[in-house]
Amino acid sequence: MDFNFTEEQTMLRDSLSRYLANTYDFDTRQKTVRDGKGWNPAVWTAFAEELGILCAPFSEAHGGLGGGAVENMVVMEELGRAIVLEPYLNTVVIGGGALKAVGGAIADELIPGIIAGQVRIAFAAYEPQGRFHLNDVTTTLKGGQLNGHKAVVEGAAHATHLLVTARTGGGQRDTDGIALLLIPADSAGITRRDYLTVHGTSASEVYFENVAVGDAHVLAADALPLVERIVDEATVALCAEACGVLKVLHAQTLDYAKQRKQFGKAIGDFQVIQHRLVDMFMEVEQAVSMTMMATLKLDTPERAAAVSMAKAKVGKAAKFVGQNAVQIHGGIGITQELAVGHYFKRATLIENQFGSVDFHLSRYENLTLAA
Amino acid sequence: MDFNFTEEQTMLRDSLSRYLANTYDFDTRQKTVRDGKGWNPAVWTAFAEELGILCAPFSEAHGGLGGGAVENMVVMEELGRAIVLEPYLNTVVIGGGALKAVGGAIADELIPGIIAGQVRIAFAAYEPQGRFHLNDVTTTLKGGQLNGHKAVVEGAAHATHLLVTARTGGGQRDTDGIALLLIPADSAGITRRDYLTVHGTSASEVYFENVAVGDAHVLAADALPLVERIVDEATVALCAEACGVLKVLHAQTLDYAKQRKQFGKAIGDFQVIQHRLVDMFMEVEQAVSMTMMATLKLDTPERAAAVSMAKAKVGKAAKFVGQNAVQIHGGIGITQELAVGHYFKRATLIENQFGSVDFHLSRYENLTLAA
Amino acid sequence: MDLNFSAADVAFREEVRAFIRDSYPQYLNDKIDEGEEMAKEDFLAWHKVLAAKGWIAPAWPTEYGGTGWTATQRYIWSEETARADCVRLMPFGLSMVGPVIYTFGTPEQKAKYLPRILSGEDWWCQGYSEPGSGSDLASLRTRAERFTGEDGKEYYRVNGQKTWTTMAQHADWGFFLVRTDPAAKMQEGISFLLIDMKTPGITVRPIITLGGEHEVNEVWLEDVIVPVENRVFHENKGWTCAKFLLAHERTGIAGVAASKRSVERIKQVARNTEDGGDPLLANPFFKRKIAELEVDLAALEYTELRTLAGESSGKGPGPESSLLKIKGTEIQQRLTELALEAAGTYGAPYFRSMGEGDNSFAVGPDSARRAAPVYFNMRKTSIYGGSNEIQRNIIAKMVLGL
Amino acid sequence: MDLNFSAADVAFREEVRAFIRDSYPQYLNDKIDEGEEMAKEDFLAWHKVLAAKGWIAPAWPTEYGGTGWTATQRYIWSEETARADCVRLMPFGLSMVGPVIYTFGTPEQKAKYLPRILSGEDWWCQGYSEPGSGSDLASLRTRAERFTGEDGKEYYRVNGQKTWTTMAQHADWGFFLVRTDPAAKMQEGISFLLIDMKTPGITVRPIITLGGEHEVNEVWLEDVIVPVENRVFHENKGWTCAKFLLAHERTGIAGVAASKRSVERIKQVARNTEDGGDPLLANPFFKRKIAELEVDLAALEYTELRTLAGESSGKGPGPESSLLKIKGTEIQQRLTELALEAAGTYGAPYFRSMGEGDNSFAVGPDSARRAAPVYFNMRKTSIYGGSNEIQRNIIAKMVLGL
């Protein structure tokens, strides 16, 4: 057992951290939010060209660093620290993850594009009626034609490709008969309704009407196990992002408590505030531990149970730390002015992303706790 | 709407409170516990003869005060304040409640005996496999013969009569086919294994082997609705007892926090302890409110839902207040020396008595929250 | 001890129901159903109906325009208005400065201000908090210097900054705590002033909160001239009014009736939301959270009723009302958490203008549209009106003697 | 970063398993299964097997009898002993005074005491707490006055009272914090003494706790004469040893492996307990509590592993270990809550002697017999070793800089 980063991983973290500190301060980020596009293409180009982080989890054969889940964890935590808007999770972790898993010609074709910042992928798996259930798919692929409606597809507006689940057979919630497709985002028959999300990225309702899908676009048939693995990898990466968000929330709140005076002393001198900050600290530490645990178990048979444990714990931590960061800041914490409120918003959305605490506890129980 | 006690109710409370303060101090109680019988017959006689509280909920025709559930609430809260061991709940609330409900000759015969302290009733309804489910009855009454095993029957060792549920038809968990019997405790074929309970009363495993039961002993056939009503009334009375227990736990802890010094000041000067005591106070106040609410709704169609709400809230309060009373006392709180530990034990047993928090929340949901 | 309504109370309830059914502005319900925000004129629409009926201020003494209702009748009133989902009335005039004026004001002040509060003619705001003083209200620094004007009359010259001033952008009048004796310590030397918001020197600047709302403001006061007769109660004794008002504010804050209505809404949403082929309300854990909310809400309700019973039997609203504030706001916040959880994936879309052009349109269920902004917004409830930590300090000191 | 065991670690695990299977005193398992309490000789039975094998003190440096295992091997060891449900070893010698002696003791002290701790020949107890000093350990008042004996040697005369002294009724030796300089303030002026429990003037009186156990004692010291060479480290510098020991105590206190075993037990109980015709483990809420415990236990386990990794990379056990104490004891307590809840109706019977005659016999399921006493008893875990409130103070000060 070993909990230390390799030298390369440490370098990756430090260079990304330095880069974001220099270029991605809060005001710059908020400017992107106000622009209303949900991302800044120049930042993405810089990630690819200046920083080279988009290659982190890819094999050297594809032009990558030869990394994997740990590298994604390192990157995502740093992106969380700066509440970065750009689509590393969707493009690199999810889209890249799918391509790595299926391999072959399409991987050889597209992964270099991801690394270069040219290929951006959005994940169109969840449906309006489906809540957090990946098997609840009404979108159909029949006779080479795709029809359906996918909900809240983050980054669809600026994606080059869409990663889509579609039913080729079986009933609405059957676990088999689901294919995984990767199609050009500008295919004929795709329409979108774009909007911003609460934390400032863009998302879309995506509608497919008789979209022609050739065999080359089908990454995998009967793909639910693959989709679940991809989403597990994404969930762990999201947990890492949450760790970054929560560390900053805690640090900012601790700073504020040391400076803000009420009743003639710093509010951090009040024992109730001290213990609250301690409880927040313990939640953050445990979130970090669980994220590491799940990351390191991604390639084991315990993967799904470990990921659901981690997401449940991280989801609770996100609520507790976020709410208390705002509470200790007081009124200023719920304004748009301070960064803390925006970290709180991100933490809040993470709670439900890829499934709520209850969803993951139930999934964990179904996997491990037979009566 | 009116939340005030009548003059008679206030007098009842005050006289009982005075009496217990004078005669039922902690050391006297502990002497009874050490005697190992689970009660003190002389105290019971005094309750009947000197104090006259055993008549509180009975009609004037039976020699009672003409009271009802509110009077039981008043009495039980005071008994809780002194963690009284003697069997008011089983004999007066449950046994008396059953007799009041069925009326007739048997009520006319036995209620005066209860009032006089001569008739004592134990409630033999729960079974080893049945957990908190009153419908889970394997004890059978067939051809006038009673056979079965009842679990943890409090006060059976010193009861004159047993109030027993028995199945006359249907399957093990069917809601119909359950009769309610009242039989002499010394009937042939009854054996017991007696033991003390954790908080010092006595209880027994009660075994019936071909016990002859005549028609006169059958209080009601198809009696589950009646049994549920009786247990609801008992549950509310238990909530009132809990209120008494919790008020004392809070008061003793508050006193202790004001006196006990650590790090050069009273521990009640530490803000964390202050807020804990505030949270305990709020739990107690809400437990009192819910107990009143449920007491006042016993004769309405909302009875069962109101009682389960109250028990759920009181059960949580019992855990929170009990655990924190011990925590604030520190080591001394978990010894046999101080009263606080014994109040904690009583509070803890109340959590599960007549059903746990989860049991009552589920019951409430089944009654009111159809999907 | 009795929970039953008397025949008179039942008749009153029928009267109330009929009145709401006949007189409540129906268009407001439509706006709420569509998740739209209420504007000033929406609040006033209902206000004016009630003013015309004489039911606008049930809690006020009859001599000033109250209804003379019993505690039970007032309970029925709040139950029925919540049941019918009537918009909440702005509290700043009716529940806050009004009671201060009829309790501490001069006959002239009562005559001038109270009728216009009742009629809705004046919209009030509250100038209490300052950037440096959050929960520590008494540390406020806005100065009011007294001087004799050229007309020979007495005036205050007010300078300072207030913040978190709700709805100040619409306000005709504001009640302000200002420091009239800078040498006095903390709670002494504070006075309670009524200030016409159109007075020169007042600048109102919006604060945009996390959900994107413009509810609160900064209010800058620069050489604002206020006649001395606009001061309520004695000079330097404004803290008496402030304490009175804070206790008053806390009672209403339990919000039982409104929370009951919110629970019903969430149940309806959970019935209509799919979760793996079943309604979300069939999910045992979601259902359990609702059940626990209902239990806690009942506990709050009956605790409030006991408190009110204590008040009607002579005890005023004491520090126990802090309990109502803490538990009431905790429940309100949990309700918004449940609503956001029910929204699931559709909690993420943001349907308000980010300040530059409005891109809102309907996506996902109506119930999800405002879930996240309302969740963010309601975090304020455990902060304002004396944070919940401060309320615990109050109970510790005033009730437990710690 | 890697969670996998090396081939050597896997081999080691097999060796450990085989050893336990072959050498663990089987009768102890039977006693545990029947819910019986462990007596002194039961603890020693296992102790002596381990001492003979040389595995009694994995955490000690090899020069004093440690095993020289890696952190991973020690983790495997604690996992496997918990999995096999081996009795826990008494910590007072092995985990508490032993490390103090090999860290701060003289060569003579090391030679005299350490081998007898390893062999199990000496049973130790801890004389820290006093009636007036709970969490505020440094306020202790037991006095040790130094004097020259008639034999010309230096001695201390010790007077005072200790309390919560676990297992003192069996102890051969005790380590005591005593005040050697009454003029010094608080943490200064304290010394760390090793006292033979058979010394005249020592009286041990039982304290019976809520579950009826005799685990802890009062220890009275009346003119107890202790040779100066029984003092560890410098006079008046005993606080250094005390702090060292407290931090040491907190690491072990997480109790992950034992809690894992308890979770498995409770699952088994819940499988075998009926609830309305289904196993209790099928009750979604009971199951959810188990799942939440497992999640929190995994979070504790990996946090402990990260802490150990930090230690092995050179950082000592820091104030972060307070986190392990807080979360570890919370989990232990929740486990006892679940066990009591699972017991249902059968949580009420009391199966221990009330001190006057033993009336115990089996009623209800075995698993229910000790549920209530253990629940009561385990409340101590959030109180002892520095209460969980004190642990939060430590983190606030030492980690967060508050």
Side-chain angles (χ1 to χ4, degrees):
Chain A
M1 283 193 299
D2 175 11
F3 285 91
N4 297 309
F5 289 127
T6 62
E7 207 174 309
E8 289 77 12
Q9 288 162 348
T10 304
M11 276 177 54
L12 174 67
R13 185 190 63 195
D14 293 348
S15 67
L16 176 54
S17 166
R18 252 194 323 272
Y19 182 85
L20 292 172
N22 290 335
T23 67
Y24 210 92
D25 62 279
F26 176 63
D27 289 339
T28 308
R29 177 201 191 262
Q30 289 311 98
K31 194 175 164 307
T32 302
V33 172
R34 281 191 301 272
D35 285 349
K37 294 194 186 65
W39 76 316
N40 181 344
V43 166
W44 194 247
T45 305
F47 279 3
E49 297 176 2
E50 282 178 42
L51 202 59
I53 58 162
L54 305 187
C55 66
F58 297 112
S59 71
E60 285 158 17
H62 284 133
L65 282 187
V70 175
E71 282 67 21
N72 277 337
M73 180 178 82
V74 167
V75 170
M76 287 297 292
E77 180 174 325
E78 294 307 316
L79 298 181
R81 281 179 184 271
I83 41 175
V84 165
L85 300 158
E86 285 68 24
Y88 188 90
L89 180 65
N90 285 296
T91 291
V92 180
V93 180
I94 296 179
L99 288 167
K100 281 170 69 176
V102 299
I106 192 159
D108 295 342
E109 179 197 339
L110 292 180
I111 288 176
I114 291 177
I115 292 173
Q118 305 301 325
V119 169
R120 290 174 305 277
I121 298 174
F123 185 47
Y126 295 102
E127 301 196 353
Q129 83 295 342
R131 207 168 162 80
F132 309 126
H133 302 277
L134 291 163
N135 61 312
D136 197 329
V137 175
T138 62
T139 298
T140 55
L141 175 62
K142 280 186 188 158
Q145 292 205 314
L146 180 66
N147 283 283
H149 169 193
K150 296 287 180 178
V152 196
V153 182
E154 201 175 25
H158 50 77
T160 57
H161 294 73
L162 300 178
L163 187 65
V164 187
T165 54
R167 190 161 281 293
T168 54
Q172 181 181 331
R173 282 177 288 274
D174 285 353
T175 52
D176 45 14
I178 296 172
L180 182 63
L181 324 174
L182 188 66
I183 58 177
D186 58 0
S187 304
I190 299 180
T191 54
R192 296 192 322 262
R193 304 184 73 177
D194 300 338
Y195 43 83
L196 290 185
T197 65
V198 170
H199 71 287
T201 59
S202 89
S204 311
E205 300 301 288
V206 179
Y207 305 88
F208 305 105
E209 201 180 336
N210 298 332
V211 179
V213 175
D215 286 350
H217 295 130
V218 180
L219 290 190
D222 249 344
L224 190 61
L226 171 62
V227 172
E228 285 182 342
R229 185 176 121 199
I230 292 166
V231 172
D232 277 341
E233 290 167 357
T235 303
V236 167
L238 182 72
C239 288
E241 182 187 350
C243 291
V245 171
L246 299 187
K247 282 179 179 176
V248 172
L249 275 169
H250 186 257
Q252 288 183 346
T253 307
L254 183 59
D255 277 356
Y256 186 80
K258 287 176 180 173
Q259 287 159 24
R260 168 74 168 171
K261 288 204 164 44
Q262 293 271 275
F263 304 100
K265 53 183 182 176
I267 62 173
D269 291 339
F270 290 93
Q271 196 189 24
V272 160
I273 302 296
Q274 291 184 347
H275 282 206
R276 197 86 55 83
L277 284 160
V278 169
D279 287 335
M280 292 163 71
F281 163 77
M282 294 195 291
E283 288 300 306
V284 174
E285 285 300 308
Q286 291 179 96
V288 170
S289 303
M290 290 299 263
T291 301
M292 283 187 182
M293 179 278 290
T295 300
L296 296 174
K297 289 194 173 178
L298 279 175
D299 290 327
T300 75
E302 299 159 72
R303 184 202 79 218
V307 170
S308 280
M309 280 183 131
K311 183 58 167 56
K313 189 75 185 168
V314 169
K316 283 187 191 179
K319 174 174 279 178
F320 183 82
V321 175
Q323 289 186 347
N324 278 298
V326 168
Q327 182 71 18
I328 292 174
H329 273 84
I332 194 78
I334 52 169
T335 69
Q336 304 259 15
E337 288 166 41
L338 253 62
V340 64
H342 298 269
Y343 282 87
F344 169 57
K345 288 204 282 190
R346 181 67 195 120
T348 301
L349 281 206
I350 288 175
E351 283 182 51
N352 273 346
Q353 200 170 346
F354 302 133
S356 63
V357 170
D358 274 343
F359 176 85
H360 280 285
L361 287 173
S362 292
R363 183 170 179 249
Y364 172 75
E365 289 164 6
N366 291 337
L367 289 162
T368 68
L369 274 173
Chain B
M1 282 194 299
D2 176 11
F3 285 90
N4 298 308
F5 290 128
T6 63
E7 209 174 307
E8 289 77 12
Q9 289 161 349
T10 305
M11 277 177 54
L12 174 66
R13 185 190 64 195
D14 292 348
S15 65
L16 177 54
S17 165
R18 253 194 322 272
Y19 182 86
L20 292 172
N22 290 334
T23 67
Y24 210 94
D25 62 280
F26 176 62
D27 290 337
T28 308
R29 178 199 190 264
Q30 288 312 95
K31 194 174 162 306
T32 301
V33 172
R34 281 191 301 273
D35 285 348
K37 295 195 186 63
W39 76 317
N40 181 345
V43 166
W44 193 249
T45 304
F47 278 3
E49 296 177 3
E50 282 178 43
L51 202 61
I53 59 161
L54 305 188
C55 66
F58 296 112
S59 72
E60 286 157 17
H62 283 133
L65 281 186
V70 174
E71 282 69 20
N72 276 338
M73 180 178 81
V74 167
V75 170
M76 288 296 294
E77 181 174 325
E78 295 306 317
L79 298 181
R81 280 179 184 271
I83 40 176
V84 165
L85 301 158
E86 285 69 22
Y88 187 92
L89 180 66
N90 285 296
T91 291
V92 180
V93 180
I94 296 179
L99 290 166
K100 281 169 71 175
V102 300
I106 193 161
D108 295 342
E109 180 198 335
L110 292 180
I111 288 177
I114 291 177
I115 292 173
Q118 305 302 325
V119 170
R120 290 174 305 277
I121 299 173
F123 186 47
Y126 295 102
E127 301 195 354
Q129 83 295 343
R131 207 167 160 79
F132 309 126
H133 301 277
L134 292 163
N135 61 312
D136 197 329
V137 175
T138 62
T139 298
T140 55
L141 175 64
K142 280 187 189 158
Q145 293 205 315
L146 180 65
N147 282 283
H149 169 193
K150 294 291 180 176
V152 196
V153 182
E154 199 176 25
H158 50 77
T160 57
H161 295 73
L162 300 179
L163 187 65
V164 187
T165 53
R167 189 162 284 291
T168 55
Q172 180 182 333
R173 282 177 288 275
D174 284 354
T175 53
D176 45 16
I178 295 171
L180 182 63
L181 323 175
L182 188 66
I183 57 177
D186 57 1
S187 304
I190 299 180
T191 53
R192 298 190 322 262
R193 303 184 73 175
D194 300 337
Y195 44 83
L196 289 184
T197 65
V198 170
H199 70 288
T201 59
S202 88
S204 312
E205 301 301 288
V206 179
Y207 304 88
F208 305 104
E209 202 182 336
N210 299 331
V211 178
V213 174
D215 286 351
H217 294 131
V218 179
L219 289 190
D222 250 345
L224 189 61
L226 172 62
V227 172
E228 286 183 342
R229 188 177 118 198
I230 291 166
V231 173
D232 276 343
E233 290 167 358
T235 303
V236 169
L238 183 72
C239 288
E241 183 187 350
C243 290
V245 171
L246 299 187
K247 282 179 179 177
V248 172
L249 276 170
H250 185 256
Q252 288 183 345
T253 308
L254 183 58
D255 277 356
Y256 186 80
K258 287 177 179 173
Q259 287 159 24
R260 167 75 167 172
K261 289 204 163 40
Q262 293 270 275
F263 304 102
K265 53 182 180 176
I267 62 172
D269 290 340
F270 289 94
Q271 197 190 25
V272 161
I273 302 296
Q274 293 184 348
H275 282 207
R276 196 87 53 83
L277 284 161
V278 169
D279 287 335
M280 292 163 72
F281 163 78
M282 294 195 292
E283 288 300 307
V284 174
E285 284 299 308
Q286 291 179 94
V288 170
S289 302
M290 290 299 263
T291 301
M292 284 187 182
M293 179 278 290
T295 301
L296 297 173
K297 288 193 174 179
L298 280 176
D299 291 326
T300 73
E302 299 158 71
R303 184 201 80 219
V307 170
S308 282
M309 280 182 132
K311 183 59 165 57
K313 190 75 184 169
V314 169
K316 283 188 193 178
K319 174 175 280 177
F320 183 82
V321 175
Q323 290 185 347
N324 279 297
V326 168
Q327 182 70 19
I328 293 175
H329 273 85
I332 193 79
I334 51 169
T335 70
Q336 303 260 14
E337 288 167 41
L338 252 61
V340 63
H342 299 270
Y343 282 88
F344 169 56
K345 288 206 282 190
R346 182 68 195 120
T348 300
L349 282 206
I350 288 175
E351 283 182 52
N352 273 346
Q353 200 170 347
F354 302 134
S356 63
V357 170
D358 274 343
F359 176 85
H360 281 285
L361 287 172
S362 292
R363 183 170 180 249
Y364 171 76
E365 289 164 7
N366 291 337
L367 289 162
T368 69
L369 275 173
Chain C
M1 230 180 220
D2 188 1
L3 288 184
N4 294 320
F5 289 139
S6 66
D9 288 335
V10 172
F12 174 76
R13 188 174 60 192
E14 291 315 308
E15 185 188 354
V16 166
R17 284 187 184 169
F19 168 70
I20 293 172
R21 188 175 56 239
D22 298 342
S23 310
Y24 185 71
Q26 188 54 46
Y27 85 96
L28 293 174
N29 276 338
D30 302 337
K31 278 192 98 160
I32 288 180
D33 287 344
E34 287 153 24
E36 284 187 53
E37 278 178 281
M38 296 288 109
K40 177 178 179 175
E41 53 273 22
D42 299 322
F43 291 112
L44 281 178
W46 178 220
H47 187 117
K48 289 187 171 168
V49 170
L50 290 171
K53 175 80 173 174
W55 284 5
I56 188 65
W60 288 24
T62 44
E63 57 184 305
Y64 301 119
T67 53
W69 290 341
T70 63
T72 303
Q73 285 177 310
R74 279 193 272 155
Y75 169 75
I76 289 169
W77 172 247
S78 62
E79 283 280 299
E80 294 301 322
T81 48
R83 229 170 55 91
D85 226 1
C86 302
V87 293
R88 298 184 80 170
L89 299 168
M90 283 290 111
F92 305 103
L94 292 167
S95 308
M96 299 172 84
V97 76
V100 168
I101 291 173
Y102 66 64
T103 305
F104 298 101
T106 62
E108 294 73 24
Q109 288 172 333
K110 295 177 191 177
K112 176 172 177 187
Y113 298 107
L114 298 181
R116 297 167 62 97
I117 290 171
L118 294 172
S119 70
E121 201 167 343
D122 288 342
W123 182 283
W124 283 80
C125 68
Q126 178 193 43
Y128 268 38
S129 294
E130 299 187 4
S133 74
S135 288
D136 183 10
L137 195 53
S139 69
L140 62 89
R141 288 182 303 185
T142 293
R143 278 280 284 131
E145 288 164 290
R146 189 157 171 166
F147 67 98
T148 308
E150 291 178 8
D151 57 5
K153 293 186 185 162
E154 295 288 290
Y155 294 92
Y156 294 109
R157 181 181 292 108
V158 183
N159 279 286
Q161 188 196 344
K162 296 290 178 178
T163 191
W164 314 125
T165 317
T166 304
M167 297 293 166
Q169 70 267 40
H170 302 311
D172 305 298
W173 284 85
F175 52 98
F176 287 77
L177 288 181
V178 297
R179 189 162 290 286
T180 36
D181 180 358
K185 55 182 171 122
M186 299 307 285
Q187 285 139 13
E188 289 155 46
I190 289 172
S191 297
F192 189 100
L193 295 191
L194 311 179
I195 303 183
D196 185 334
M197 292 297 284
K198 289 178 294 296
T199 317
I202 296 182
T203 313
V204 175
R205 293 184 194 155
I207 299 175
I208 306 302
T209 45
L210 283 184
E213 297 87 355
H214 173 202
E215 255 183 26
V216 289
N217 301 273
E218 293 178 339
V219 177
W220 299 73
L221 301 109
E222 217 174 343
D223 290 332
V224 175
I225 308 300
V226 181
V228 162
E229 65 260 30
N230 285 20
R231 190 193 69 232
V232 180
F233 206 51
H234 309 301
E235 192 167 80
N236 298 332
K237 298 293 176 197
W239 192 250
T240 305
C241 305
K243 270 198 310 186
F244 168 86
L245 194 154
L246 281 173
H248 227 270
E249 190 185 358
R250 279 198 290 275
T251 359
I253 225 160
V256 169
S259 288
K260 277 186 179 177
R261 179 73 190 118
S262 294
V263 173
E264 293 307 319
R265 265 180 204 284
I266 287 174
K267 280 196 233 176
Q268 199 51 44
V269 170
R271 275 192 197 95
N272 296 336
T273 300
E274 262 189 72
D275 178 30
D278 292 315
L280 182 58
L281 191 57
N283 179 305
F285 306 102
F286 198 85
K287 190 197 290 196
R288 178 56 45 100
K289 286 180 210 168
I290 291 179
E292 288 178 326
L293 256 171
E294 292 190 318
V295 169
D296 289 343
L297 188 50
L300 178 66
E301 178 179 15
Y302 283 88
T303 303
E304 184 174 40
L305 288 171
R306 282 172 59 219
T307 309
L308 293 175
E311 278 177 45
S312 70
S313 70
K315 297 185 259 174
E320 294 88 350
S321 65
S322 291
L323 184 159
L324 304 179
K325 197 273 175 169
I326 295 169
K327 293 296 160 188
T329 53
E330 284 176 358
I331 285 170
Q332 289 160 35
Q333 292 182 334
R334 281 161 61 195
L335 283 162
T336 68
E337 290 173 17
L338 270 193
L340 183 57
E341 186 178 340
T345 320
Y346 279 115
Y350 180 71
F351 291 112
R352 293 193 41 159
S353 144
M354 299 297 282
E356 304 175 11
D358 184 28
N359 64 350
S360 74
F361 55 83
V363 156
D366 283 354
S367 58
R369 289 183 71 187
R370 301 272 307 138
V374 171
Y375 172 85
F376 298 138
N377 188 260
M378 289 301 276
R379 299 313 307 167
K380 72 186 175 192
T381 64
S382 51
I383 295 168
Y384 68 26
S387 74
N388 286 8
E389 287 83 4
I390 295 292
Q391 304 298 341
R392 285 184 169 83
N393 286 350
I394 291 172
I395 296 176
K397 187 173 170 191
M398 309 295 283
V399 183
L400 305 186
L402 287 165
Chain D
M1 229 179 220
D2 189 358
L3 289 184
N4 294 319
F5 289 139
S6 66
D9 289 334
V10 171
F12 175 75
R13 188 174 61 191
E14 290 315 308
E15 183 188 355
V16 165
R17 283 187 186 170
F19 168 69
I20 293 173
R21 187 176 55 240
D22 299 340
S23 311
Y24 185 70
Q26 188 54 45
Y27 87 95
L28 293 173
N29 276 337
D30 302 337
K31 278 191 100 161
I32 287 179
D33 285 345
E34 287 155 25
E36 283 186 55
E37 278 177 279
M38 297 287 110
K40 178 176 179 176
E41 54 273 23
D42 299 323
F43 290 112
L44 283 178
W46 179 222
H47 187 117
K48 289 186 171 167
V49 170
L50 290 172
K53 174 81 173 173
W55 284 5
I56 188 64
W60 289 24
T62 43
E63 56 183 305
Y64 302 118
T67 53
W69 290 341
T70 63
T72 302
Q73 284 176 311
R74 280 194 273 154
Y75 169 76
I76 288 170
W77 172 247
S78 62
E79 281 280 299
E80 293 302 322
T81 49
R83 227 169 57 91
D85 226 2
C86 302
V87 292
R88 299 185 79 171
L89 300 168
M90 282 292 110
F92 304 103
L94 291 167
S95 308
M96 299 171 84
V97 76
V100 168
I101 291 172
Y102 67 63
T103 307
F104 299 101
T106 62
E108 294 74 24
Q109 288 171 335
K110 294 178 190 176
K112 175 172 179 189
Y113 298 108
L114 297 181
R116 297 166 61 96
I117 290 173
L118 293 172
S119 70
E121 200 168 344
D122 287 341
W123 182 281
W124 283 80
C125 69
Q126 177 192 45
Y128 267 39
S129 294
E130 299 187 4
S133 74
S135 288
D136 183 9
L137 196 53
S139 69
L140 62 90
R141 288 182 302 185
T142 293
R143 278 280 283 130
E145 288 164 291
R146 188 157 173 167
F147 67 98
T148 308
E150 291 177 7
D151 57 6
K153 293 188 186 162
E154 294 288 288
Y155 293 93
Y156 293 109
R157 181 181 292 110
V158 183
N159 279 285
Q161 187 195 344
K162 295 290 178 179
T163 191
W164 314 127
T165 317
T166 303
M167 297 290 168
Q169 70 268 39
H170 302 311
D172 303 298
W173 284 84
F175 52 98
F176 286 77
L177 288 182
V178 297
R179 189 162 291 288
T180 35
D181 180 358
K185 55 183 169 116
M186 299 308 284
Q187 287 139 12
E188 290 157 44
I190 289 173
S191 297
F192 190 100
L193 296 190
L194 311 179
I195 303 183
D196 184 333
M197 292 298 284
K198 289 178 292 297
T199 315
I202 296 182
T203 314
V204 175
R205 294 184 192 154
I207 299 175
I208 306 301
T209 46
L210 282 184
E213 297 87 354
H214 173 199
E215 252 182 28
V216 288
N217 301 272
E218 293 178 338
V219 176
W220 300 74
L221 302 109
E222 218 172 342
D223 289 332
V224 175
I225 308 301
V226 180
V228 162
E229 65 259 31
N230 286 20
R231 192 193 66 232
V232 180
F233 207 50
H234 310 300
E235 192 167 79
N236 298 330
K237 296 295 176 197
W239 193 249
T240 305
C241 304
K243 268 197 309 186
F244 167 85
L245 193 155
L246 281 173
H248 227 270
E249 191 186 359
R250 279 199 289 275
T251 0
I253 224 161
V256 169
S259 288
K260 276 186 180 177
R261 178 73 190 117
S262 295
V263 173
E264 294 307 319
R265 266 181 204 284
I266 287 174
K267 279 196 232 176
Q268 199 51 44
V269 169
R271 274 191 197 94
N272 296 335
T273 300
E274 262 190 72
D275 178 30
D278 291 316
L280 182 58
L281 192 56
N283 178 306
F285 306 104
F286 198 85
K287 189 197 289 192
R288 177 58 44 99
K289 286 180 211 169
I290 291 178
E292 288 178 326
L293 257 170
E294 292 190 317
V295 169
D296 289 343
L297 187 50
L300 179 65
E301 178 179 14
Y302 283 87
T303 303
E304 185 175 38
L305 289 171
R306 281 173 59 219
T307 308
L308 293 175
E311 278 176 45
S312 69
S313 70
K315 296 185 260 173
E320 294 88 350
S321 65
S322 292
L323 184 159
L324 304 179
K325 197 271 176 171
I326 295 170
K327 292 295 162 190
T329 54
E330 285 176 358
I331 285 170
Q332 290 160 34
Q333 292 183 335
R334 282 161 61 194
L335 283 162
T336 68
E337 290 173 18
L338 269 194
L340 183 57
E341 187 179 338
T345 320
Y346 279 114
Y350 180 72
F351 292 110
R352 291 194 42 159
S353 145
M354 298 297 282
E356 305 173 12
D358 184 27
N359 64 350
S360 75
F361 54 83
V363 155
D366 283 353
S367 59
R369 288 183 71 186
R370 303 269 310 138
V374 171
Y375 172 85
F376 298 138
N377 188 259
M378 290 301 276
R379 300 313 306 168
K380 73 187 175 191
T381 63
S382 51
I383 294 169
Y384 67 27
S387 75
N388 286 8
E389 288 83 4
I390 296 292
Q391 304 299 340
R392 284 184 170 84
N393 286 350
I394 291 172
I395 297 175
K397 187 173 170 189
M398 309 295 283
V399 182
L400 306 186
L402 285 166

